[in-house]
Amino acid sequence: MMDDTKNFLKTMGIERENEDFTSKKRFDDGGQYRLEIPGVQSPSALETIVKTCKKENIFIHRVTQTKGIMLLSDEEITKMADLARISEMELFLAVGPRAPYDTSASVNTSEGVRIGYRLRGYDNLVYAIEDVKRAVDLGVRGILLYDEGLLYILNNMRSVGELPKNLHFKLSAHAGCSNPASAKLFESLGLDSLNLVRDLQLPMIASIRSAINIPIDLHTENPKSSGGFIRHYEVPEMIKVGSPVYLKTGGSVAKTHNWDTTNADGEKRVKQVGLVKRIIDKYCPDAIISPKASKDLAIPEN
């Protein structure tokens, strides 16, 4: 059934994977998975996470801020960059201003919300680029994006030396990528790491992994605003079909995507990572964790 369409998709590197699919792709260091805590909005929250990780002997490869660079002071960005550098973590800050911060009335309606966090108009595109340049000047080498047009521009800027060659771009799940064709498009635009829609089933993840080579970011749990579901027991299969993957953990502690993580929340997020690591160690002990974060994302000393 529908063989002509399926055969054409296959010529483009897109096909359905069978239930036994196992990804042979890896991070450059040979690892299959890395650990990430999203929603780290402030230096104090990051500091708590760093201290708790040391106490619990848990290594986190990446932390991500989601509210927006524009909402952080230079001092806060610098402190977060310093904490990440000392702890050998990757630090990603979210770009702004996005539609919910703009004058858009549509984004606050049930239909208009579907435009997501994309940028509206020329000026907001310029503002977003300036937001990225500010973070880069303060030492940040990881940017969380929500808009494919912005990705297109930033990748071109990186290619011609307007931005550092080791600046990495990851796409938010709020951009709505949920099929292999979209994933290939984002990869072709220069994306370095892809957050998929949070509730994709394992065969869906497998088909996307088969189509692209960049790391995939998978939510092992989610804030209440994104459904609140927890997928800890699926993590071994996520690693099997999705490698190389960043396992985004701790989201269930928050009520929303932009939740202000308190110090107490930071401790809870680290605990959730420990719970996921227990599942991995028990049910897929042979899974290979990257020994360290990406060297490409090393934050320069000021």
Side-chain angles (χ1 to χ4, degrees), residues 262-278:
T262 64
N263 292 349
D265 289 340
E267 292 180 1
K268 291 177 183 177
R269 286 179 184 264
V270 175
K271 176 186 176 183
Q272 296 301 99
V273 175
L275 293 175
V276 166
K277 191 65 170 64
R278 185 195 74 82

Side-chain angles (χ1 to χ4, degrees), residues 11-24:
T11 67
M12 299 186 69
I14 298 172
E15 57 187 316
R16 175 185 288 169
E17 296 298 342
N18 59 46
E19 294 180 359
D20 296 325
F21 174 77
T22 299
S23 173
K24 302 299 183 183

Side-chain angles (χ1 to χ4, degrees), residues 38 66 132 143 156 167 187 198 205 224-225 238 251 254 257 288:
T66 56
V132 172
I143 302 295
N156 275 275
L167 182 63
E187 185 178 46
R198 300 164 186 262
I205 296 171
K224 292 181 181 178
S225 61
M238 287 180 173
H257 171 63
I288 304 170

Side-chain angles (χ1 to χ4, degrees), residues 6 31 45 51 62 87 104 118-119 123 125 234 238 277:
K6 292 176 181 177
K51 289 180 179 178
R62 177 193 280 178
S87 304
S104 173
R118 285 176 172 79
L119 303 171
D123 287 340
L125 180 61
E234 289 184 272
M238 287 180 173
K277 191 65 170 64

Side-chain angles (χ1 to χ4, degrees), residues 148-222:
E148 57 270 45
L150 178 62
L151 171 62
Y152 170 73
I153 297 297
L154 294 178
N155 182 52
N156 275 275
M157 294 179 71
R158 180 175 59 180
S159 298
V160 299
E162 288 290 321
L163 291 171
K165 296 294 184 183
N166 67 337
L167 182 63
H168 280 214
F169 307 125
K170 67 176 289 188
L171 187 78
S172 170
H174 291 266
C177 184
S178 55
N179 67 71
S182 294
K184 286 182 75 69
L185 175 62
F186 284 117
E187 185 178 46
S188 74
L189 293 175
L191 191 69
D192 299 292
S193 183
L194 173 62
N195 275 277
L196 298 180
V197 170
R198 300 164 186 262
D199 60 356
L200 295 189
Q201 298 164 8
L202 292 168
M204 297 175 178
I205 296 171
S207 68
I208 292 171
R209 165 44 69 216
S210 178
I212 63 174
N213 295 313
I214 58 175
I216 294 175
D217 306 339
L218 297 177
H219 290 82
T220 67
E221 53 187 77
N222 298 273

Side-chain angles (χ1 to χ4, degrees), residues 24-129:
K24 302 299 183 183
K25 298 173 183 178
R26 301 288 186 268
F27 287 106
D28 291 341
D29 58 15
Q32 292 175 280
Y33 73 97
R34 294 176 180 172
L35 300 168
E36 175 179 348
I37 294 182
V40 183
Q41 313 295 6
S42 67
S44 61
L46 179 54
E47 191 169 18
T48 297
I49 286 171
V50 169
K51 289 180 179 178
T52 306
C53 284
K54 288 182 179 178
K55 179 182 176 183
E56 302 297 330
N57 195 28
I58 294 174
F59 179 73
I60 302 297
H61 298 78
R62 177 193 280 178
V63 291
T64 307
Q65 183 256 15
T66 56
K67 292 191 73 171
I69 298 163
M70 59 184 284
L71 299 178
L72 293 171
S73 68
D74 286 4
E75 182 181 2
E76 288 174 319
I77 294 174
T78 301
K79 186 171 183 180
M80 292 182 78
D82 287 343
L83 282 167
R85 176 177 51 79
I86 294 168
S87 304
E88 297 185 302
M89 290 179 177
E90 301 170 16
L91 172 67
F92 276 73
L93 301 186
V95 73
R98 310 187 293 268
Y101 297 151
D102 192 15
T103 57
S104 173
S106 297
V107 77
N108 295 313
T109 68
S110 58
E111 290 189 9
V113 72
R114 295 171 188 165
I115 70 170
Y117 288 144
R118 285 176 172 79
L119 303 171
R120 299 170 66 252
Y122 174 86
D123 287 340
N124 279 324
L125 180 61
V126 172
Y127 301 155
I129 296 169

